Amino acid sequence: MELRKTVERYWAAAEARDWAAFADTLAEDVVYTLSQTRERIRGREKYVQFNREYPGDWRLRIERIVAEPGHVVTWVHFTVGLEEMYGISFFTEDGEGRILSVTDFWPEPYEPPAGREHLVERY
């Protein structure tokens, strides 16, 4: 699974702030979609710059990778200072082993509605 290895290198390069290695994982015409803010970035140069300029001292850890030919999904744990969050990212490839698209989902934590305490276990 070539794309899985590419995505593993992508996350390792992001964590290391190795922007040259990060760029090497991307197709020239990569498209990044951030669903919560309805933003889209087109092209390797802009996407690398977006990540390079992202504020804060963030750190990441891969929780899980699910892969099939041409598609990879990752569940990643991020910390920014004291804040923790989880993101889910969907990747596709360009046929040459590079990442062609990334679609991110960043769920916001919230308190559950009342009335289901008898059914659930909080963690």
Side-chain angles (χ1 to χ4, degrees), residues 34-101:
L34 188 54
S35 300
Q36 280 70 22
T37 60
R38 297 186 344 245
E39 293 174 291
R40 183 167 289 133
I41 298 171
R42 294 182 188 274
R44 181 187 310 162
E45 187 176 324
K46 285 183 181 180
Y47 185 47
V48 171
Q49 182 177 351
F50 172 84
N51 282 280
R52 183 185 299 120
E53 294 177 359
Y54 199 86
D57 183 27
W58 52 268
R59 295 286 164 214
L60 70 93
R61 176 182 74 238
I62 298 172
E63 295 289 327
R64 175 180 269 178
I65 297 178
V66 178
E68 64 179 43
H71 301 276
V72 172
V73 178
T74 61
W75 175 30
V76 182
H77 175 261
F78 273 84
T79 57
V80 181
L82 298 176
E83 184 180 5
E84 295 185 37
M85 63 193 86
Y86 290 88
I88 298 172
S89 302
F90 293 83
F91 297 84
T92 64
E93 71 171 321
D94 67 356
E96 297 180 18
R98 290 199 170 113
I99 296 167
L100 180 61
S101 69

Side-chain angles (χ1 to χ4, degrees), residues 6-7 9 13 17 19 26 30 34 38 42 46-47 54 65 75 77 90 92 99 104-105 109 113-114 118-120 122:
T6 301
V7 169
R9 288 193 331 268
R17 309 302 195 274
W19 303 119
L26 305 171
V30 65
L34 188 54
R38 297 186 344 245
R42 294 182 188 274
K46 285 183 181 180
Y47 185 47
Y54 199 86
I65 297 178
W75 175 30
H77 175 261
F90 293 83
T92 64
I99 296 167
D104 275 353
F105 294 91
H118 64 290
L119 301 173
V120 303
R122 294 295 302 275

